[in-house]
Amino acid sequence: MDFASDNTAGASQAILEAILAANEGLLPAYGTDPLTAKALRLLEDIFEHPITGFLVSTGTAANALALGAISPPFGAIFCHSQAHVMDDECGAPEMFTGGAKLVGIPGWAGKIAPADLKPVLADFPRGLEKQVQPATLSLSQVTECGTIYTCDQLAELTTLAHEAGLMVHMDGARFANALVSLPCSPAEMSWKAGIDVLSFGATKNGALACEAVLFFDSARAASLPFQRKRSGHTLSKGRYLGAQMTAYLENGHWLGLATAANGHARRLAQGLGQIPSIRLPWPCEANEIFAILPHAIDTALKEAGAHYYPWKFHASSAASPPPAADEVFVRLVTSFATLPSDVDRFLALVRSGGHKPI
Ligand SMILES: *Cc1c(COP(=O)(O)O)cnc(C)c1O
């Protein structure tokens, strides 16, 4: 019963087989191979737009390189106050931008509300020499709370940002999980909604180690080849990144993996939602569930071998009251590799309320 993260899963069989198939023969190095070219062509087809794209092996590299390409050292990058770029990347965005300042905006369920973005933009006027200059809005889709922005919500935020002269980045570490939950296309959830640069994740959804930085305006990508190389993120045997991304995208594999992951989460969330002693502070919209559990249930689950992480409760993010003294706040994540029987067993333990059968 492993619900710790979607990167506790291995890689999908099809992607591993593609890596093995890519092992044949001699191919050009440093991303000039035909597999990488094919992956980038597939991305252009899927996004219905010309793309200048770069494959890297971690999401942190993708985010930091993307932000570094569009934010000057004296820039401000606005993001949700719990964003991965803010809390979980060891200052990589600050390092790759040469010192830009991340400005966190709190908001319900991991989402930035337009009404909260406006005053922050007003606080950072352009041209005021003593302050960092507004440069970038970074939005996470799926958010760190497992929620998603609708395409209209994205467009509203990116319009405000563009009107203020900002560029917009999307941290799409779980882009596929968001996409399959929405009635929209990859184009509608990205450039049509005003996203300028996208970190397109694949690792959490079944790749071995592969993410892409996608620029919808090639002029913005000019510094990327150099930044990627000098930061040590240009793989010499780039074919293996190309192979992963190609297999991920071909035949809708990525959508199938994300649909499976989200389906497990939905079932788990529905089951938890039926237990009166359990509260979900916001809805499960992709493949992550956040829940407030009684201690007794948490203990019984742990004793039965369930694995998941306690989570920090931010009052500004939740509509429900904070965990009481006899409760814990936890995060549960499903993946394409989640076993339906593990969901069943977990829910059965929860239903027994932490009381051991006699
Ligand atoms: C996992 C994750 C990343 C990428 O993390 P890496 O561990 O560097 O691959 C980026 N953004 C979000 C929201 C994530 O959940």
Side-chain angles (χ1 to χ4, degrees), residues 33-69:
D33 61 279
L35 284 164
T36 299
K38 185 172 181 186
L40 296 174
R41 269 203 315 279
L42 283 170
L43 284 162
E44 290 189 320
D45 290 348
I46 285 169
F47 281 91
E48 307 172 72
H49 199 281
I51 282 174
T52 304
F54 302 85
L55 302 182
V56 293
S57 53
T58 73
T60 298
N63 282 341
L65 285 167
L67 292 171

PDB file of all heavy atoms in Angstrom, residues 33-69:
ATOM      1  N   ASP A  33      20.354  13.244 -31.963  1.00  0.00           N
ATOM      2  CA  ASP A  33      19.976  11.930 -32.479  1.00  0.00           C
ATOM      3  C   ASP A  33      18.543  11.940 -33.025  1.00  0.00           C
ATOM      4  O   ASP A  33      17.746  12.814 -32.682  1.00  0.00           O
ATOM      5  CB  ASP A  33      20.072  10.914 -31.329  1.00  0.00           C
ATOM      6  CG  ASP A  33      19.128  11.296 -30.208  1.00  0.00           C
ATOM      7  OD1 ASP A  33      19.478  12.181 -29.384  1.00  0.00           O
ATOM      8  OD2 ASP A  33      18.003  10.772 -30.161  1.00  0.00           O
ATOM      9  N   PRO A  34      18.216  10.970 -33.860  1.00  0.00           N
ATOM     10  CA  PRO A  34      16.874  10.928 -34.464  1.00  0.00           C
ATOM     11  C   PRO A  34      15.740  10.687 -33.464  1.00  0.00           C
ATOM     12  O   PRO A  34      14.617  11.135 -33.694  1.00  0.00           O
ATOM     13  CB  PRO A  34      16.958   9.786 -35.485  1.00  0.00           C
ATOM     14  CG  PRO A  34      18.223   9.058 -35.214  1.00  0.00           C
ATOM     15  CD  PRO A  34      19.124   9.963 -34.443  1.00  0.00           C
ATOM     16  N   LEU A  35      16.027  10.017 -32.359  1.00  0.00           N
ATOM     17  CA  LEU A  35      14.956   9.770 -31.377  1.00  0.00           C
ATOM     18  C   LEU A  35      14.535  11.072 -30.692  1.00  0.00           C
ATOM     19  O   LEU A  35      13.347  11.314 -30.451  1.00  0.00           O
ATOM     20  CB  LEU A  35      15.426   8.762 -30.327  1.00  0.00           C
ATOM     21  CG  LEU A  35      15.463   7.309 -30.814  1.00  0.00           C
ATOM     22  CD1 LEU A  35      16.284   6.451 -29.865  1.00  0.00           C
ATOM     23  CD2 LEU A  35      14.037   6.761 -30.942  1.00  0.00           C
ATOM     24  N   THR A  36      15.511  11.900 -30.375  1.00  0.00           N
ATOM     25  CA  THR A  36      15.193  13.197 -29.769  1.00  0.00           C
ATOM     26  C   THR A  36      14.430  14.062 -30.772  1.00  0.00           C
ATOM     27  O   THR A  36      13.432  14.710 -30.411  1.00  0.00           O
ATOM     28  CB  THR A  36      16.489  13.908 -29.304  1.00  0.00           C
ATOM     29  OG1 THR A  36      17.106  13.077 -28.317  1.00  0.00           O
ATOM     30  CG2 THR A  36      16.196  15.277 -28.720  1.00  0.00           C
ATOM     31  N   ALA A  37      14.864  14.029 -32.034  1.00  0.00           N
ATOM     32  CA  ALA A  37      14.157  14.806 -33.058  1.00  0.00           C
ATOM     33  C   ALA A  37      12.716  14.326 -33.185  1.00  0.00           C
ATOM     34  O   ALA A  37      11.786  15.132 -33.296  1.00  0.00           O
ATOM     35  CB  ALA A  37      14.894  14.663 -34.397  1.00  0.00           C
ATOM     36  N   LYS A  38      12.530  13.004 -33.120  1.00  0.00           N
ATOM     37  CA  LYS A  38      11.178  12.454 -33.232  1.00  0.00           C
ATOM     38  C   LYS A  38      10.311  12.892 -32.042  1.00  0.00           C
ATOM     39  O   LYS A  38       9.149  13.276 -32.207  1.00  0.00           O
ATOM     40  CB  LYS A  38      11.241  10.924 -33.292  1.00  0.00           C
ATOM     41  CG  LYS A  38       9.910  10.275 -33.533  1.00  0.00           C
ATOM     42  CD  LYS A  38      10.045   8.788 -33.774  1.00  0.00           C
ATOM     43  CE  LYS A  38       8.684   8.173 -34.025  1.00  0.00           C
ATOM     44  NZ  LYS A  38       8.753   6.707 -34.116  1.00  0.00           N
ATOM     45  N   ALA A  39      10.895  12.862 -30.852  1.00  0.00           N
ATOM     46  CA  ALA A  39      10.144  13.277 -29.655  1.00  0.00           C
ATOM     47  C   ALA A  39       9.685  14.726 -29.794  1.00  0.00           C
ATOM     48  O   ALA A  39       8.536  15.065 -29.484  1.00  0.00           O
ATOM     49  CB  ALA A  39      11.016  13.109 -28.411  1.00  0.00           C
ATOM     50  N   LEU A  40      10.567  15.572 -30.284  1.00  0.00           N
ATOM     51  CA  LEU A  40      10.215  16.992 -30.413  1.00  0.00           C
ATOM     52  C   LEU A  40       9.162  17.202 -31.500  1.00  0.00           C
ATOM     53  O   LEU A  40       8.276  18.056 -31.355  1.00  0.00           O
ATOM     54  CB  LEU A  40      11.470  17.837 -30.660  1.00  0.00           C
ATOM     55  CG  LEU A  40      12.477  17.820 -29.484  1.00  0.00           C
ATOM     56  CD1 LEU A  40      13.760  18.557 -29.843  1.00  0.00           C
ATOM     57  CD2 LEU A  40      11.860  18.417 -28.221  1.00  0.00           C
ATOM     58  N   ARG A  41       9.222  16.392 -32.556  1.00  0.00           N
ATOM     59  CA  ARG A  41       8.164  16.470 -33.588  1.00  0.00           C
ATOM     60  C   ARG A  41       6.821  16.046 -33.021  1.00  0.00           C
ATOM     61  O   ARG A  41       5.788  16.666 -33.275  1.00  0.00           O
ATOM     62  CB  ARG A  41       8.516  15.567 -34.778  1.00  0.00           C
ATOM     63  CG  ARG A  41       9.313  16.251 -35.883  1.00  0.00           C
ATOM     64  CD  ARG A  41       9.149  15.517 -37.216  1.00  0.00           C
ATOM     65  NE  ARG A  41       9.256  14.067 -37.131  1.00  0.00           N
ATOM     66  CZ  ARG A  41      10.418  13.394 -37.091  1.00  0.00           C
ATOM     67  NH1 ARG A  41      11.559  14.042 -37.115  1.00  0.00           N
ATOM     68  NH2 ARG A  41      10.418  12.070 -37.019  1.00  0.00           N
ATOM     69  N   LEU A  42       6.846  14.965 -32.232  1.00  0.00           N
ATOM     70  CA  LEU A  42       5.600  14.500 -31.602  1.00  0.00           C
ATOM     71  C   LEU A  42       5.022  15.576 -30.690  1.00  0.00           C
ATOM     72  O   LEU A  42       3.801  15.795 -30.648  1.00  0.00           O
ATOM     73  CB  LEU A  42       5.861  13.225 -30.791  1.00  0.00           C
ATOM     74  CG  LEU A  42       6.007  11.929 -31.582  1.00  0.00           C
ATOM     75  CD1 LEU A  42       6.506  10.808 -30.662  1.00  0.00           C
ATOM     76  CD2 LEU A  42       4.669  11.523 -32.210  1.00  0.00           C
ATOM     77  N   LEU A  43       5.890  16.243 -29.954  1.00  0.00           N
ATOM     78  CA  LEU A  43       5.416  17.303 -29.053  1.00  0.00           C
ATOM     79  C   LEU A  43       4.761  18.433 -29.860  1.00  0.00           C
ATOM     80  O   LEU A  43       3.723  18.968 -29.460  1.00  0.00           O
ATOM     81  CB  LEU A  43       6.574  17.834 -28.200  1.00  0.00           C
ATOM     82  CG  LEU A  43       6.979  16.898 -27.043  1.00  0.00           C
ATOM     83  CD1 LEU A  43       8.365  17.241 -26.509  1.00  0.00           C
ATOM     84  CD2 LEU A  43       5.950  16.962 -25.901  1.00  0.00           C
ATOM     85  N   GLU A  44       5.350  18.771 -31.002  1.00  0.00           N
ATOM     86  CA  GLU A  44       4.754  19.821 -31.844  1.00  0.00           C
ATOM     87  C   GLU A  44       3.383  19.380 -32.365  1.00  0.00           C
ATOM     88  O   GLU A  44       2.448  20.182 -32.423  1.00  0.00           O
ATOM     89  CB  GLU A  44       5.684  20.161 -33.013  1.00  0.00           C
ATOM     90  CG  GLU A  44       6.934  20.890 -32.553  1.00  0.00           C
ATOM     91  CD  GLU A  44       7.772  21.425 -33.699  1.00  0.00           C
ATOM     92  OE1 GLU A  44       7.902  20.717 -34.730  1.00  0.00           O
ATOM     93  OE2 GLU A  44       8.290  22.556 -33.575  1.00  0.00           O
ATOM     94  N   ASP A  45       3.266  18.110 -32.747  1.00  0.00           N
ATOM     95  CA  ASP A  45       1.966  17.598 -33.206  1.00  0.00           C
ATOM     96  C   ASP A  45       0.936  17.677 -32.077  1.00  0.00           C
ATOM     97  O   ASP A  45      -0.187  18.141 -32.266  1.00  0.00           O
ATOM     98  CB  ASP A  45       2.087  16.132 -33.643  1.00  0.00           C
ATOM     99  CG  ASP A  45       2.876  15.989 -34.930  1.00  0.00           C
ATOM    100  OD1 ASP A  45       3.125  17.026 -35.584  1.00  0.00           O
ATOM    101  OD2 ASP A  45       3.262  14.849 -35.264  1.00  0.00           O
ATOM    102  N   ILE A  46       1.348  17.211 -30.904  1.00  0.00           N
ATOM    103  CA  ILE A  46       0.419  17.136 -29.774  1.00  0.00           C
ATOM    104  C   ILE A  46      -0.010  18.533 -29.321  1.00  0.00           C
ATOM    105  O   ILE A  46      -1.169  18.752 -28.976  1.00  0.00           O
ATOM    106  CB  ILE A  46       1.073  16.334 -28.626  1.00  0.00           C
ATOM    107  CG1 ILE A  46       1.048  14.845 -28.979  1.00  0.00           C
ATOM    108  CG2 ILE A  46       0.402  16.593 -27.287  1.00  0.00           C
ATOM    109  CD1 ILE A  46       1.884  13.974 -28.078  1.00  0.00           C
ATOM    110  N   PHE A  47       0.922  19.474 -29.346  1.00  0.00           N
ATOM    111  CA  PHE A  47       0.603  20.841 -28.893  1.00  0.00           C
ATOM    112  C   PHE A  47       0.122  21.749 -30.024  1.00  0.00           C
ATOM    113  O   PHE A  47      -0.233  22.901 -29.778  1.00  0.00           O
ATOM    114  CB  PHE A  47       1.812  21.462 -28.172  1.00  0.00           C
ATOM    115  CG  PHE A  47       1.965  20.978 -26.753  1.00  0.00           C
ATOM    116  CD1 PHE A  47       2.738  19.870 -26.452  1.00  0.00           C
ATOM    117  CD2 PHE A  47       1.285  21.604 -25.715  1.00  0.00           C
ATOM    118  CE1 PHE A  47       2.861  19.408 -25.144  1.00  0.00           C
ATOM    119  CE2 PHE A  47       1.394  21.155 -24.403  1.00  0.00           C
ATOM    120  CZ  PHE A  47       2.191  20.047 -24.122  1.00  0.00           C
ATOM    121  N   GLU A  48       0.119  21.211 -31.263  1.00  0.00           N
ATOM    122  CA  GLU A  48      -0.386  21.980 -32.411  1.00  0.00           C
ATOM    123  C   GLU A  48       0.289  23.352 -32.516  1.00  0.00           C
ATOM    124  O   GLU A  48      -0.378  24.376 -32.742  1.00  0.00           O
ATOM    125  CB  GLU A  48      -1.907  22.163 -32.306  1.00  0.00           C
ATOM    126  CG  GLU A  48      -2.674  20.851 -32.110  1.00  0.00           C
ATOM    127  CD  GLU A  48      -4.138  21.101 -31.812  1.00  0.00           C
ATOM    128  OE1 GLU A  48      -4.867  21.501 -32.727  1.00  0.00           O
ATOM    129  OE2 GLU A  48      -4.535  20.926 -30.634  1.00  0.00           O
ATOM    130  N   HIS A  49       1.602  23.374 -32.323  1.00  0.00           N
ATOM    131  CA  HIS A  49       2.325  24.650 -32.333  1.00  0.00           C
ATOM    132  C   HIS A  49       3.808  24.372 -32.555  1.00  0.00           C
ATOM    133  O   HIS A  49       4.306  23.363 -32.057  1.00  0.00           O
ATOM    134  CB  HIS A  49       2.124  25.347 -30.979  1.00  0.00           C
ATOM    135  CG  HIS A  49       2.418  26.815 -31.001  1.00  0.00           C
ATOM    136  ND1 HIS A  49       3.703  27.327 -30.947  1.00  0.00           N
ATOM    137  CD2 HIS A  49       1.596  27.885 -31.060  1.00  0.00           C
ATOM    138  CE1 HIS A  49       3.642  28.648 -30.975  1.00  0.00           C
ATOM    139  NE2 HIS A  49       2.385  29.017 -31.044  1.00  0.00           N
ATOM    140  N   PRO A  50       4.523  25.254 -33.250  1.00  0.00           N
ATOM    141  CA  PRO A  50       5.976  25.097 -33.301  1.00  0.00           C
ATOM    142  C   PRO A  50       6.560  25.195 -31.882  1.00  0.00           C
ATOM    143  O   PRO A  50       6.091  26.014 -31.078  1.00  0.00           O
ATOM    144  CB  PRO A  50       6.452  26.281 -34.154  1.00  0.00           C
ATOM    145  CG  PRO A  50       5.245  26.744 -34.889  1.00  0.00           C
ATOM    146  CD  PRO A  50       4.065  26.431 -34.026  1.00  0.00           C
ATOM    147  N   ILE A  51       7.531  24.332 -31.611  1.00  0.00           N
ATOM    148  CA  ILE A  51       8.109  24.287 -30.267  1.00  0.00           C
ATOM    149  C   ILE A  51       9.628  24.269 -30.369  1.00  0.00           C
ATOM    150  O   ILE A  51      10.186  23.578 -31.224  1.00  0.00           O
ATOM    151  CB  ILE A  51       7.626  23.018 -29.523  1.00  0.00           C
ATOM    152  CG1 ILE A  51       6.194  23.215 -29.011  1.00  0.00           C
ATOM    153  CG2 ILE A  51       8.554  22.647 -28.367  1.00  0.00           C
ATOM    154  CD1 ILE A  51       5.590  21.975 -28.386  1.00  0.00           C
ATOM    155  N   THR A  52      10.280  25.033 -29.512  1.00  0.00           N
ATOM    156  CA  THR A  52      11.713  24.848 -29.309  1.00  0.00           C
ATOM    157  C   THR A  52      11.834  24.122 -27.980  1.00  0.00           C
ATOM    158  O   THR A  52      11.493  24.681 -26.923  1.00  0.00           O
ATOM    159  CB  THR A  52      12.439  26.203 -29.273  1.00  0.00           C
ATOM    160  OG1 THR A  52      12.135  26.890 -30.487  1.00  0.00           O
ATOM    161  CG2 THR A  52      13.951  26.000 -29.177  1.00  0.00           C
ATOM    162  N   GLY A  53      12.245  22.854 -28.054  1.00  0.00           N
ATOM    163  CA  GLY A  53      12.176  22.010 -26.859  1.00  0.00           C
ATOM    164  C   GLY A  53      13.525  21.442 -26.466  1.00  0.00           C
ATOM    165  O   GLY A  53      14.416  21.270 -27.301  1.00  0.00           O
ATOM    166  N   PHE A  54      13.663  21.150 -25.193  1.00  0.00           N
ATOM    167  CA  PHE A  54      14.904  20.601 -24.639  1.00  0.00           C
ATOM    168  C   PHE A  54      14.552  19.503 -23.655  1.00  0.00           C
ATOM    169  O   PHE A  54      13.722  19.706 -22.770  1.00  0.00           O
ATOM    170  CB  PHE A  54      15.684  21.707 -23.914  1.00  0.00           C
ATOM    171  CG  PHE A  54      16.027  22.866 -24.809  1.00  0.00           C
ATOM    172  CD1 PHE A  54      15.104  23.897 -25.012  1.00  0.00           C
ATOM    173  CD2 PHE A  54      17.236  22.908 -25.484  1.00  0.00           C
ATOM    174  CE1 PHE A  54      15.400  24.957 -25.854  1.00  0.00           C
ATOM    175  CE2 PHE A  54      17.538  23.968 -26.333  1.00  0.00           C
ATOM    176  CZ  PHE A  54      16.623  24.994 -26.526  1.00  0.00           C
ATOM    177  N   LEU A  55      15.170  18.351 -23.818  1.00  0.00           N
ATOM    178  CA  LEU A  55      14.920  17.253 -22.893  1.00  0.00           C
ATOM    179  C   LEU A  55      15.967  17.278 -21.781  1.00  0.00           C
ATOM    180  O   LEU A  55      17.150  17.501 -22.041  1.00  0.00           O
ATOM    181  CB  LEU A  55      14.961  15.911 -23.627  1.00  0.00           C
ATOM    182  CG  LEU A  55      13.976  15.762 -24.785  1.00  0.00           C
ATOM    183  CD1 LEU A  55      14.078  14.365 -25.401  1.00  0.00           C
ATOM    184  CD2 LEU A  55      12.541  16.046 -24.343  1.00  0.00           C
ATOM    185  N   VAL A  56      15.509  17.082 -20.574  1.00  0.00           N
ATOM    186  CA  VAL A  56      16.401  17.004 -19.414  1.00  0.00           C
ATOM    187  C   VAL A  56      15.933  15.826 -18.559  1.00  0.00           C
ATOM    188  O   VAL A  56      14.925  15.189 -18.868  1.00  0.00           O
ATOM    189  CB  VAL A  56      16.397  18.318 -18.584  1.00  0.00           C
ATOM    190  CG1 VAL A  56      17.016  19.464 -19.382  1.00  0.00           C
ATOM    191  CG2 VAL A  56      14.986  18.686 -18.130  1.00  0.00           C
ATOM    192  N   SER A  57      16.678  15.549 -17.491  1.00  0.00           N
ATOM    193  CA  SER A  57      16.338  14.338 -16.744  1.00  0.00           C
ATOM    194  C   SER A  57      15.650  14.578 -15.412  1.00  0.00           C
ATOM    195  O   SER A  57      15.234  13.619 -14.765  1.00  0.00           O
ATOM    196  CB  SER A  57      17.581  13.474 -16.554  1.00  0.00           C
ATOM    197  OG  SER A  57      18.605  14.247 -15.990  1.00  0.00           O
ATOM    198  N   THR A  58      15.512  15.837 -14.972  1.00  0.00           N
ATOM    199  CA  THR A  58      14.743  16.067 -13.741  1.00  0.00           C
ATOM    200  C   THR A  58      13.809  17.265 -13.910  1.00  0.00           C
ATOM    201  O   THR A  58      14.063  18.166 -14.724  1.00  0.00           O
ATOM    202  CB  THR A  58      15.643  16.366 -12.503  1.00  0.00           C
ATOM    203  OG1 THR A  58      16.184  17.688 -12.619  1.00  0.00           O
ATOM    204  CG2 THR A  58      16.763  15.357 -12.348  1.00  0.00           C
ATOM    205  N   GLY A  59      12.778  17.267 -13.100  1.00  0.00           N
ATOM    206  CA  GLY A  59      11.824  18.368 -13.126  1.00  0.00           C
ATOM    207  C   GLY A  59      12.413  19.649 -12.559  1.00  0.00           C
ATOM    208  O   GLY A  59      12.076  20.750 -12.993  1.00  0.00           O
ATOM    209  N   THR A  60      13.292  19.499 -11.591  1.00  0.00           N
ATOM    210  CA  THR A  60      13.952  20.678 -11.029  1.00  0.00           C
ATOM    211  C   THR A  60      14.785  21.371 -12.099  1.00  0.00           C
ATOM    212  O   THR A  60      14.758  22.607 -12.222  1.00  0.00           O
ATOM    213  CB  THR A  60      14.827  20.266  -9.821  1.00  0.00           C
ATOM    214  OG1 THR A  60      13.971  19.700  -8.817  1.00  0.00           O
ATOM    215  CG2 THR A  60      15.581  21.441  -9.245  1.00  0.00           C
ATOM    216  N   ALA A  61      15.511  20.583 -12.900  1.00  0.00           N
ATOM    217  CA  ALA A  61      16.301  21.166 -13.987  1.00  0.00           C
ATOM    218  C   ALA A  61      15.374  21.859 -14.984  1.00  0.00           C
ATOM    219  O   ALA A  61      15.660  22.976 -15.434  1.00  0.00           O
ATOM    220  CB  ALA A  61      17.124  20.083 -14.688  1.00  0.00           C
ATOM    221  N   ALA A  62      14.268  21.205 -15.325  1.00  0.00           N
ATOM    222  CA  ALA A  62      13.337  21.801 -16.292  1.00  0.00           C
ATOM    223  C   ALA A  62      12.826  23.143 -15.778  1.00  0.00           C
ATOM    224  O   ALA A  62      12.852  24.154 -16.496  1.00  0.00           O
ATOM    225  CB  ALA A  62      12.178  20.839 -16.569  1.00  0.00           C
ATOM    226  N   ASN A  63      12.372  23.165 -14.531  1.00  0.00           N
ATOM    227  CA  ASN A  63      11.827  24.410 -13.974  1.00  0.00           C
ATOM    228  C   ASN A  63      12.896  25.500 -13.891  1.00  0.00           C
ATOM    229  O   ASN A  63      12.668  26.653 -14.281  1.00  0.00           O
ATOM    230  CB  ASN A  63      11.284  24.169 -12.563  1.00  0.00           C
ATOM    231  CG  ASN A  63       9.924  23.497 -12.579  1.00  0.00           C
ATOM    232  OD1 ASN A  63       9.218  23.516 -13.590  1.00  0.00           O
ATOM    233  ND2 ASN A  63       9.552  22.887 -11.462  1.00  0.00           N
ATOM    234  N   ALA A  64      14.060  25.130 -13.368  1.00  0.00           N
ATOM    235  CA  ALA A  64      15.095  26.131 -13.139  1.00  0.00           C
ATOM    236  C   ALA A  64      15.626  26.678 -14.469  1.00  0.00           C
ATOM    237  O   ALA A  64      15.860  27.884 -14.602  1.00  0.00           O
ATOM    238  CB  ALA A  64      16.222  25.537 -12.296  1.00  0.00           C
ATOM    239  N   LEU A  65      15.794  25.801 -15.456  1.00  0.00           N
ATOM    240  CA  LEU A  65      16.256  26.268 -16.768  1.00  0.00           C
ATOM    241  C   LEU A  65      15.197  27.147 -17.427  1.00  0.00           C
ATOM    242  O   LEU A  65      15.513  28.184 -18.012  1.00  0.00           O
ATOM    243  CB  LEU A  65      16.588  25.072 -17.674  1.00  0.00           C
ATOM    244  CG  LEU A  65      17.905  24.338 -17.349  1.00  0.00           C
ATOM    245  CD1 LEU A  65      17.975  23.003 -18.079  1.00  0.00           C
ATOM    246  CD2 LEU A  65      19.100  25.219 -17.721  1.00  0.00           C
ATOM    247  N   ALA A  66      13.941  26.732 -17.334  1.00  0.00           N
ATOM    248  CA  ALA A  66      12.855  27.519 -17.934  1.00  0.00           C
ATOM    249  C   ALA A  66      12.805  28.906 -17.301  1.00  0.00           C
ATOM    250  O   ALA A  66      12.749  29.929 -18.001  1.00  0.00           O
ATOM    251  CB  ALA A  66      11.520  26.801 -17.740  1.00  0.00           C
ATOM    252  N   LEU A  67      12.841  28.938 -15.974  1.00  0.00           N
ATOM    253  CA  LEU A  67      12.765  30.232 -15.284  1.00  0.00           C
ATOM    254  C   LEU A  67      14.006  31.072 -15.572  1.00  0.00           C
ATOM    255  O   LEU A  67      13.918  32.298 -15.728  1.00  0.00           O
ATOM    256  CB  LEU A  67      12.578  30.018 -13.776  1.00  0.00           C
ATOM    257  CG  LEU A  67      11.217  29.415 -13.399  1.00  0.00           C
ATOM    258  CD1 LEU A  67      11.182  29.019 -11.914  1.00  0.00           C
ATOM    259  CD2 LEU A  67      10.076  30.395 -13.705  1.00  0.00           C
ATOM    260  N   GLY A  68      15.152  30.418 -15.688  1.00  0.00           N
ATOM    261  CA  GLY A  68      16.395  31.134 -15.977  1.00  0.00           C
ATOM    262  C   GLY A  68      16.371  31.791 -17.352  1.00  0.00           C
ATOM    263  O   GLY A  68      17.005  32.821 -17.562  1.00  0.00           O
ATOM    264  N   ALA A  69      15.618  31.187 -18.273  1.00  0.00           N
ATOM    265  CA  ALA A  69      15.574  31.729 -19.635  1.00  0.00           C
ATOM    266  C   ALA A  69      14.685  32.969 -19.731  1.00  0.00           C
ATOM    267  O   ALA A  69      14.836  33.764 -20.656  1.00  0.00           O
ATOM    268  CB  ALA A  69      15.074  30.652 -20.600  1.00  0.00           C
TER     269      ALA A  69
END
